[in-house]
Amino acid sequence: MKPNSLSTYLLWALVLFGFVSVGKVSVDNFNGLACPSLLMIPVCYIVTISYGLMLGSLIINHNGCKHHFFCAGWGVAFVIALFASLAELFGGGGICPSTSGGLRAGTSIGVPLCYISLAILVVILVLFIKGPYQVACDLHNKSS
């Protein structure tokens, strides 16, 4: 796969979309809209850092750092999105912020953002493996 293929642009777009979206939720949390906490730290801040690591992995040229940053960021964001989605689905709602703003608080208003993040993260992983990861593997195999 060429580094400038449509898949690479889509990967960049999804990571940027995720970063900006969760950044907006983090800003909303500063303004008083609740974001669930994990060990006294709002989860939206952790996910913002995770998307930032994924974004950094796309910017960094060093292949080793690229993969470590991506895996750390993607792994944390995925685990949070997965568990939050499961809690939202089986816990009666009110766990995740929604597209309508703030926590759903058990109502059916808006789509939980953890569902959206989970779906985006799966697509991001596939695009990363088919794009930057494959390019790095090809370069490594060529130099061996």
Side-chain angles (χ1 to χ4, degrees), residues 75-97:
V76 169
F78 180 78
V79 167
I80 289 171
L82 178 64
F83 284 124
S85 294
L86 291 172
E88 182 78 26
L89 188 62
F90 297 114
I95 305 297
C96 302

Side-chain angles (χ1 to χ4, degrees), residues 2-70:
K2 296 177 184 174
N4 293 328
S5 69
L6 179 60
S7 296
T8 302
Y9 292 123
L10 183 58
L11 174 63
W12 270 89
L14 287 174
V15 171
L16 282 170
F17 173 77
F19 182 74
V20 169
S21 297
V22 78
K24 182 191 175 307
V25 173
S26 293
V27 169
D28 288 346
N29 191 61
F30 277 131
N31 296 328
L33 295 176
C35 182
S37 293
L38 180 66
L39 302 174
M40 306 286 288
I41 301 170
V43 172
C44 51
Y45 300 166
I46 298 168
V47 177
T48 300
I49 292 168
S50 297
Y51 273 97
L53 286 170
M54 286 185 278
L55 184 59
S57 77
L58 297 176
I59 296 169
I60 294 171
N61 285 329
H62 187 272
N63 287 329
C65 289
K66 177 183 292 288
H67 298 123
H68 292 297
F69 277 44
F70 180 83

